Amino acid sequence: MSERTVPIARRGQRGLVFLVILLGLVMLFSSMPAARAADPGTGTISTSGPSTSWQGHLYAAGATSLPDECPPAIDPVDALCDHFDLNIDLDPAFWLTHVGSVVITIQWASSDNDFDLYVYRQSDGAQVGSSASGGTTSEQVALQSPIPGPYEIRVVPFLVTASDYSGTASLFYLNTPPTPNPTLSSGGIAFGPHTIIDPQRTEGEPLNHIDKFGNIWETGPWGFSTAQGFVHRSTDGGDSFHIVSPEGLRPNPALAGGGDTDILTDDQGFAYFADLEGLGQVGVAVSNDAGNNWRENFVAAQEPLTDRQWLAIDNGATSGVSDNTVFLTYNQLTSGWQVTSSPGSTGSNDLTGGLVYQNAATTNVVTTDDRCGRLLFDPAKRMLYLPCNNGDHVDIWRAHVDAGQRTDLEFSSVQTPPSPGGLIGLGRLFSDVAADSAGNIYAVWVDINNNNVYLSASTDTGTTWTTPVQVNGDPANSNVMPWAVAGAPGILDIAFYGTDIRGDPNTFPSWLNNRVAATGIKWFVYFVQVQSATSGSPTIYQVKASEHPTDYGQICTGGLGCSVSGGDRTLADFFTLAIDHDGAARIVMNDLTNQHHGAALFALTQVAGPSAYGTTLKNKSPNPTNGVIDASGDAQVPHYAPLGAGSNQPALDLLSIKVSQPDLSHLTVTLKVKSLASLLPPTGADGVIWLTRWQFLSTGDDGEESYRIFYVGADSLAGQAPSYFAGTGTSASDLEVQGTGCVTNTPRNCKIVVYPEESPATGTINSATGTLTVTASLADLGSPIQGDTLFSVTALTFGYITGDPIMMDADATRAFDYLLGATTLPTNCPAGTTCKVTGGGYIYVDPQQDRGSFNIELTVDSSGRTRGKISYRDPAAALAFRTLRITSVRLDGNTATIKGTGSANGMETGFVVKVEDKAEPGVGQDTFSIQLETGYSKSGVLQGGNIQIH
């Protein structure tokens, strides 16, 4: 019976029944010789003892849905939940002089069991943290600057058989007061939607460069495990990007590689690429024809054992090629930083220019500083700069370069003033240096004591410096990875990742360890413009350049050491900013908020506000309401190849995309292409795909917040009529089982995003008009509701080879955001109210009375969104099931029907669960049924437990 209709007298009976059930459970668990409570039952953390641990209760069988079912007062022997009392023993004023957190973690052996973690402040009983993922072997809560005093840690055995757990609580802090940061004006600066650079390959630390023709180059490593690094290029002003390789790999394939990459072009338009060859060497490559052909040298460093190379270009005093110089620096691990040089390339027959390097300095090693940032050549004053972190300041190694000079550069060191926070150390990764058009230089860094971004300027090549100025404001309170580019005199653009949470990013909860806890810390891309930057009172503007968070939780800044410590280094070490010919900022960055936590590549373009050149930008292409148009003739396959680009593919040549809602429960994507007269794939391909993808705020595969990827598409094999589909793809599990939506090569390290055809859709194809439509149910697309934004809606076309996860990119439209109109809610819970389905127990699944055990905790909030989970286990069938995404909750009196997608023994499957709340108590009355698309189906009357619909 639904609790909303239970008479008052019946509610009293329910309370009595609950106590009877509780007493029975107490007797049951107290009779088990292995059962025990948390040991010890209390613990203290302080500055002198920052960590405590305990061994949790061993549960022979546990199925408690919610923490409010087991407060200590009615669960004195920990029969329903486990209770640990934590004392945070700090001075009451501690957080006035420090920033930090208390991290509480529980762990257990098997993901078939499901413990949930809740934390309560005992002074007022408030729940201050929770983590209830499911399908994991750990839960974690991070309390930011918690009030000192006693806390209760309540561990709920949501669905547990014969398992205990272990718990830890740890204090992390910085000796820095939480000084309020200023609120900065935006100055009218705005950025457009996130543009997809590559819809499949992931890359950490993306780097961009804009050539003399306005083309945008991007490069980034794929990791040593792949020996690959990529180059992408945009020739349409950043509306779309294409991979610069006919094989979809790096320009200069090698057995080793995949480390740090860099790319620049000179005043001839020639491209220079560098890749770290697995810490062994630096490989370089040169292209004289916009990326179609590359000549390479895999041993460009003077000695082996190298790390973190950077390129810089001196275009000389003339427009000719003879006085161009390419500088290459790297950290020679046994001695220090070397700076080398090569003549600029003279053409496709040149086997030396940009390929063979010699020592450029008067000494073999310029510096032994540990972490040095980007090498910069300033053409205004003809200076070469190398910034390096060193204690409380930045060392700037500088050398004057005469026109045509490539050797015997005399480097000397100048130092910025000490950082106001007192310590740069190895920093939040690289410090940076930029030079404006007048030759003024700017040093930018993050102080690791307070996580603020600072700027100091010099008008005399570093001899004297301005007093450091903090350039970040609230809510960018902890920041990493600054990158700076200067424009007109006194104007500096800076980009960095920032979060409103104060603390050391290395101590934040890691998504790799606990997804739910990590999402409590949201990182955005911030953009700052500093005007009058050489003065003592600059003007500072700050905006969030990203439309939504780009990462969650921990960012490990220990470099390769993160791999040893298990830290989250998915972002790698930096992201970059460039200025286009209009003075607009162009940022390339990683978005990790997809369900895979993959380092997806996006570009952000400044569309309004003051430019780096002192002009005012006006948005030339405001975000449309439902679609965009695309240029014709740009669907070559491949886009880059030794003999030049392939032919244009009319069936893949996008002309426009439009998104619409034909009714309250469906979404339609309409694509127009140049011609659909033939659907035959490009040479070497088996078929073609038309795909439209987006992200919106949804739920990840452990119940965490996620800007999940969804898509619709059409697939034509060998020129046949297309099939139509929708989907989302699942992530790799915490047990390192690969999901359906991304190819991984190391545990949960998403390398190639793929688009499985999960759900059927309907579609049409009109050869006469070149129009193709795909219509899918919103239930197959995450059940978005009115007011949800579909971010970065992009149409893409590909050729593909059956069995190869990497497709051949053909065309892509400009990205836009779509605001969803009226929809059918995925539930009939009355608007403005909250509905819940909770309970647990077991049914008999066969005549031998084997049990199918379940637990349910679902909440439909007042907006119609559903959160929660269902777990089910049938040992006789060797089945462990949990929900991944709940797409529908229908309530009909005392009956609830729940639909969605779940995981059965690690494999994705659709499910329908139906429960009936017939009586209190529910034993012998309430019913439970489960049906999976795998064919598994069981139902029955509860033989133990209870169900409540309320």
Side-chain angles (χ1 to χ4, degrees), residues 378-623:
D378 166 34
K381 294 185 178 179
R382 298 202 57 80
M383 297 292 294
L384 191 64
Y385 298 102
L386 180 66
C388 304
N389 299 351
N390 191 352
D392 65 352
H393 64 276
V394 180
D395 286 338
I396 309 287
W397 293 88
R398 62 180 184 176
H400 184 268
V401 182
D402 292 329
Q405 183 180 6
R406 299 187 179 112
T407 60
D408 297 323
L409 300 181
E410 296 186 7
F411 281 89
S412 61
S413 174
V414 294
Q415 298 179 354
T416 66
S419 181
L423 185 61
I424 299 176
L426 294 182
R428 296 294 179 243
L429 303 180
F430 300 106
S431 299
D432 198 19
V433 65
D436 65 26
S437 59
N440 303 311
I441 61 171
Y442 307 91
V444 176
W445 67 88
V446 169
D447 191 302
I448 66 174
N449 275 343
N450 58 28
N451 296 305
N452 288 322
V453 184
Y454 290 97
L455 159 70
S456 183
S458 174
T459 59
D460 54 10
T461 70
T463 302
T464 61
W465 294 87
T466 60
T467 300
V469 174
Q470 179 183 327
V471 297
N472 62 291
D474 185 71
N477 296 325
S478 294
N479 307 287
V480 298
M481 303 184 190
W483 194 272
V485 179
I491 301 180
L492 181 72
D493 287 352
I494 309 170
F496 50 88
Y497 293 119
T499 179
D500 62 339
I501 303 298
R502 296 178 182 272
D504 181 349
N506 293 277
T507 66
F508 293 161
S510 168
W511 189 96
L512 299 174
N513 297 330
N514 189 278
R515 303 182 187 190
V516 173
T519 57
I521 296 169
K522 298 172 174 55
W523 294 89
F524 291 82
V525 172
Y526 282 88
F527 173 80
V528 163
Q529 184 173 101
V530 185
Q531 299 179 359
S532 302
T534 59
S535 72
S537 55
T539 298
I540 305 172
Y541 299 126
Q542 174 181 287
V543 296
K544 285 181 178 176
S546 57
E547 298 181 286
H548 57 75
T550 56
D551 194 9
Y552 295 121
Q554 182 195 65
I555 296 177
C556 185
T557 60
L560 289 176
C562 298
S563 302
V564 177
S565 67
D568 187 351
R569 196 184 173 228
T570 310
L571 287 175
D573 295 343
F574 61 87
F575 71 113
T576 58
L577 160 72
I579 296 172
D580 69 18
H581 294 180
D582 294 326
R586 301 281 189 152
I587 301 170
V588 292
M589 59 90 178
N590 292 130
D591 178 8
L592 276 60
T593 63
N594 56 75
Q595 63 266 42
H596 312 294
H597 196 62
L601 282 168
F602 287 89
L604 307 178
T605 301
Q606 183 186 357
V607 296
S611 80
Y613 295 151
T615 58
T616 300
L617 300 169
K618 294 185 178 180
N619 195 347
K620 301 175 182 178
S621 304
N623 186 70

Side-chain angles (χ1 to χ4, degrees), residues 69 107 111 116 253 344 461 842 866:
E69 297 176 12
Q107 295 178 300
S111 65
D116 293 338
T461 70
Y842 63 90
T866 300

Side-chain angles (χ1 to χ4, degrees), residues 90-307:
L90 300 172
D91 185 276
F94 181 82
W95 297 118
L96 297 179
T97 55
H98 301 79
V99 295
S101 62
V102 170
V103 178
I104 301 155
T105 306
I106 60 172
Q107 295 178 300
W108 58 96
S110 172
S111 65
D112 288 346
N113 289 308
D114 187 358
F115 287 96
D116 293 338
L117 174 63
Y118 299 86
V119 182
Y120 294 85
R121 188 170 52 227
Q122 293 190 21
S123 61
D124 58 4
Q127 185 187 114
V128 294
S130 66
S131 180
S133 302
T136 68
T137 57
S138 68
E139 300 287 355
Q140 189 176 77
V141 167
L143 306 178
Q144 304 300 323
S145 305
I147 297 172
Y151 289 77
E152 180 214 340
I153 298 173
R154 194 176 303 176
V155 179
V156 176
F158 186 78
L159 189 59
V160 173
T161 302
S163 178
D164 59 4
Y165 72 94
S166 60
T168 60
S170 300
L171 170 68
F172 300 95
Y173 64 94
L174 297 174
N175 294 311
T176 302
T179 305
N181 280 324
T183 300
L184 301 174
S185 168
S186 71
I189 295 171
F191 283 77
H194 303 184
T195 297
I196 297 172
I197 294 177
D198 194 318
Q200 290 205 277
R201 302 163 188 82
T202 62
E203 289 177 2
E205 56 189 46
L207 184 148
N208 66 339
H209 166 75
I210 300 175
D211 66 24
K212 61 179 291 187
F213 307 108
N215 302 310
I216 304 173
W217 298 73
E218 182 280 335
T219 186
W222 216 24
F224 289 150
S225 61
T226 68
Q228 294 295 332
F230 300 121
V231 174
H232 299 86
R233 187 167 179 258
S234 173
T235 59
D236 58 5
D239 285 348
S240 63
F241 289 78
H242 297 288
I243 190 77
V244 181
S245 169
E247 291 83 24
L249 302 175
R250 60 183 275 186
N252 53 339
L255 294 177
D260 308 320
T261 66
D262 199 354
I263 194 163
L264 288 175
T265 62
D266 62 17
D267 58 3
Q268 309 301 307
F270 300 158
Y272 303 87
F273 173 77
D275 182 271
L276 187 63
E277 309 292 308
L279 295 180
Q281 257 291 349
V282 175
V284 295
V286 176
S287 176
N288 303 101
D289 58 0
N292 286 302
N293 290 276
W294 296 85
R295 299 182 309 287
E296 57 269 345
N297 173 16
F298 299 121
V299 288
Q302 301 292 292
E303 303 173 54
L305 298 178
T306 57
D307 191 14

Side-chain angles (χ1 to χ4, degrees), residues 65-66 69 836-840 854-859 915 917 946-950:
S65 299
L66 296 169
E69 297 176 12
K836 294 184 178 182
V837 182
T838 59
F854 70 93
N855 210 338
I856 302 175
E857 188 273 305
L858 293 180
T859 299
V915 296
D917 177 11
N946 192 36
I947 292 169
Q948 293 182 340
I949 300 174
H950 49 120

Side-chain angles (χ1 to χ4, degrees), residues 812-836:
T813 64
R814 175 166 72 91
F816 67 97
D817 297 337
Y818 179 77
L819 185 66
L820 211 66
T823 66
T824 298
L825 291 177
T827 177
N828 61 347
C829 178
T833 64
T834 298
C835 301
K836 294 184 178 182

